[in-house]
């Protein structure tokens, strides 16, 4: 059954998904091969897509974005994956939407849900017009400090939110990094691994100190206060329209340690610093062969220093928006920033023949932070004070 979402009464500006052609990287799946998309849109009352308007925003799921017969601009996503995983992601996403209805007037903005159909794994959102990906602004070096502060305010509003009466948010811990503490992998998964995935698994499983640090982080996360959290925060999930930050992709939303979201934001900018450090050298031998994170840190202190204010502006705005945080929050957030560097290496491995020097250097820095998060919290922008 198709569920038509109740309106969150958004402003006209905040009711559409992205259209900026610079953010659209794929040819959409032929709609003739998925007639359920047209049926879904017609049942929502917006009409089928005008075929010549349809594009495919970048993402792990099949997506379609364009103008419908009613003239409305719509973004449709079909969730991909094993049935039980898809069902859980759908539940979490719809749970966030019910919470979002209570957050009108707060700094948290997201594309408005039009409806969902669990049977066909489809969801539809209004399409944010003239939106630009935060990742694009990061690369163009136009993601300014005000946007970082706006993101901090938004995440603080999320973490301060109270779920609707009767709403039971998912309390299961995110899969990673705890999954790495399990010995070995299933035979079928191993057989499906790319060479890079095998390489990553061996690097991580063969590092006892790293596994001990991950175990400590997981234990501290389990004991931490739980708040509504995004749990998969990345800059490419920020859509910016006239300096307003919209946060997308709520499939991992749940009650969790808020330090995970804060650390992910810090980790994004730290990872960007490493990319800048390595690629700016123009030295292919360094890119391919230099895996020593200490060399990267020594050569790139200036670039890390240059990007750290983004984290500082986010962090100060976040602190202003929170009523209180626990005493270990900043240290856990730093540890999650370190984990984020390793997570990026894991995320790219299915598409790679080998793990590059850039990714190994970033992972080495992430490992260092994970081992001593208290030492590095202020260094990456998570110091004390509002």
């Amino acid at each position: 059954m198709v569920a038509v979402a109740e309106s969150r009464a958004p402003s006209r500006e905040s009711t559409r998904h992205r259209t900026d052609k610079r953010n659209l990287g794929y040819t959409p799946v032929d709609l003739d091969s998925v007639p359920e998309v047209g049926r879904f849109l017609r049942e929502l009352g917006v009409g089928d897509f005008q075929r010549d308007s349809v594009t495919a925003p970048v993402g792990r799921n099949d997506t379609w974005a364009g103008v419908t017969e009613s003239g409305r601009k719509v973004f449709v996503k079909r969730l991909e994956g094993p049935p039980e995983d898809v069902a859980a992601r759908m539940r979490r996403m719809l749970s966030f939407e019910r919470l979002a209805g209570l957050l009108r007037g707060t700094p948290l903005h997201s594309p408005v849900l039009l409806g969902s159909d669990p049977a066909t794994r489809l969801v539809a959102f209004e399409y944010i017009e003239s939106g630009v990906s935060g990742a694009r602004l990061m690369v163009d070096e136009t993601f300014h400090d005000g946007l970082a502060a706006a993101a901090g305010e938004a995440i603080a509003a999320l973490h301060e939110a109270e779920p609707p009466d009767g709403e039971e948010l998912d309390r299961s811990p995110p899969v990673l990094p705890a999954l790495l503490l399990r010995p070995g992998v299933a035979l079928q998964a191993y057989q499906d691994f790319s060479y890079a995935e095998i390489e990553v698994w061996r690097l991580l499983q063969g590092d006892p100190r790293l596994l001990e640090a991950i175990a400590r982080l997981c234990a501290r996360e389990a004991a931490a206060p739980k708040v509504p959290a995004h749990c998969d925060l990345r800059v490419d999930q920020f859509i910016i329209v006239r300096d307003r930050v919209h946060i997308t992709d709520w499939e991992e939303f749940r009650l969790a340690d808020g330090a995970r979201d804060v650390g992910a934001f810090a980790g994004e900018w730290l990872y960007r610093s490493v990319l800048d450090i390595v690629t700016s050298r123009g030295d292919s031998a360094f890119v391919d062969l230099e895996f020593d994170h200490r060399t990267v840190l020594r050569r790139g202190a200036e670039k890390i220093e240059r990007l750290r204010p983004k984290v500082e502006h986010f962090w100060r705005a976040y602190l202003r928006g929170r009523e209180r945080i626990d005493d270990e929050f900043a240290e856990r957030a730093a540890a999650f920033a370190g984990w984020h560097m390793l997570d990026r290496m894991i995320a790219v491995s299915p598409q790679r023949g080998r793990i590059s020097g850039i990714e190994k250097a970033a992972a080495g820095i992430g490992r260092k932070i994970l081992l001593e998060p208290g030492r590095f919290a202020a260094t990456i922008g998570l110091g004390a004070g509002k």
Side-chain angles (χ1 to χ4, degrees):
M1 175 182 292
V2 172
V4 180
E6 295 182 6
S7 172
R8 286 193 246 146
S11 68
R12 183 70 174 170
E13 177 188 358
S14 65
T15 60
R16 306 174 187 173
H17 211 70
R18 69 187 86 170
T19 67
D20 183 355
K21 295 293 191 292
R22 292 176 299 172
N23 298 323
L24 305 175
Y26 299 120
T27 301
V29 172
D30 184 359
L31 286 166
D32 287 335
S33 68
V34 280
E36 60 268 30
V37 173
R39 289 196 295 269
F40 174 54
L41 290 173
R42 289 191 292 274
E43 289 182 33
L44 291 179
V46 298
D48 207 343
F49 277 124
Q50 298 178 26
R51 296 299 179 90
D52 60 357
S53 73
V54 178
T55 56
V58 174
R60 65 171 170 167
N61 302 291
D62 288 337
T63 57
W64 300 265
V67 181
T68 63
E69 292 167 345
S70 66
R72 199 165 191 176
K73 294 176 180 175
V74 175
F75 169 78
V76 175
K77 176 191 294 187
R78 180 173 63 182
L79 303 186
E80 300 294 338
E84 62 277 8
D85 177 58
V86 168
R89 286 157 52 204
M90 180 76 79
R91 285 195 302 271
R92 289 192 290 263
M93 181 170 50
L94 297 180
S95 185
F96 166 75
E97 292 298 329
R98 289 187 285 273
L99 175 65
L102 303 179
L103 295 177
R104 287 192 293 267
T106 76
L108 180 64
H109 308 285
S110 63
V112 174
L113 179 72
L114 298 177
S116 60
D117 185 7
T120 58
R121 300 172 285 129
L122 294 171
V123 289
F125 297 87
E126 290 275 11
Y127 192 88
I128 297 179
E129 193 168 19
S130 302
V132 182
S133 164
R136 170 56 58 188
L137 297 183
M138 174 189 273
V139 171
D140 291 346
E141 300 188 351
T142 54
F143 194 106
H144 56 75
D145 294 344
L147 292 177
E153 291 172 353
I155 296 302
L158 171 67
H159 292 176
E160 286 291 313
E162 292 289 338
D165 290 342
E167 181 73 29
E168 288 293 329
L169 301 188
D170 188 337
R171 291 178 174 268
S172 64
V175 173
L176 289 171
L179 180 64
L180 298 176
L181 301 176
R182 300 178 187 174
V185 294
L187 177 60
Q188 185 60 55
Y190 184 83
Q191 291 173 336
D192 291 340
F193 272 0
S194 68
Y195 182 85
E197 286 177 292
I198 294 173
E199 187 180 12
V200 166
W201 195 261
R202 285 175 176 165
L203 282 171
L204 300 178
Q205 290 287 309
D207 189 337
R209 289 192 67 204
L210 174 62
L211 294 179
E212 289 172 6
I214 289 173
R216 284 195 300 273
L217 175 58
C218 290
R220 295 175 75 180
E221 178 185 27
K226 302 301 186 293
V227 297
H230 189 285
C231 292
D232 190 28
L233 197 67
R234 299 189 308 275
V235 176
D236 63 2
Q237 292 163 340
F238 296 167
I239 305 301
I240 316 299
V241 181
R242 292 193 288 277
D243 286 349
R244 172 176 281 187
V245 177
H246 303 257
I247 301 177
T248 67
D249 294 338
W250 294 91
E251 296 163 36
E252 298 301 321
F253 171 72
R254 68 191 78 205
L255 279 180
D257 181 4
R260 181 179 281 265
D261 287 346
V262 173
F265 184 87
E268 285 280 85
W269 291 98
L270 188 58
Y271 187 79
R272 184 68 210 174
S273 297
V274 175
L275 294 186
D276 286 352
I277 292 163
V278 177
T279 58
S280 65
R281 283 177 51 83
D283 183 343
S284 60
F286 178 80
V287 171
D288 292 338
L289 301 174
E290 177 57 86
F291 307 151
D292 186 349
H293 67 276
R294 290 167 295 185
T295 302
V296 173
L297 284 171
R298 186 171 64 250
R299 293 172 177 173
E302 180 181 342
K303 288 186 178 291
I304 293 175
E305 186 72 21
R306 182 171 61 82
L307 292 179
R308 185 174 63 181
K310 300 293 184 292
V311 180
E312 292 174 332
H313 280 83
F314 174 96
W315 178 232
R316 286 196 291 266
Y318 177 82
L319 290 176
R320 289 193 297 270
R322 292 299 309 273
E323 189 169 313
R324 69 174 303 275
I325 60 172
D326 64 276
D327 294 339
E328 296 184 343
F329 188 98
E331 188 170 328
R332 289 198 313 277
F336 275 117
W339 159 248
H340 188 79
M341 307 283 275
L342 293 157
D343 189 45
R344 292 296 297 260
M345 182 173 68
I346 294 170
V348 302
S349 61
Q351 293 84 40
R352 300 289 175 85
R354 292 188 66 101
I355 296 300
S356 74
I358 295 174
E359 285 139 8
K360 287 187 177 180
I365 294 170
R367 176 186 184 276
K368 183 73 172 175
I369 296 171
L370 258 173
L371 293 179
E372 301 180 275
R375 176 183 171 189
F376 290 102
T379 302
I380 64 175
L382 300 174
K386 299 186 179 184

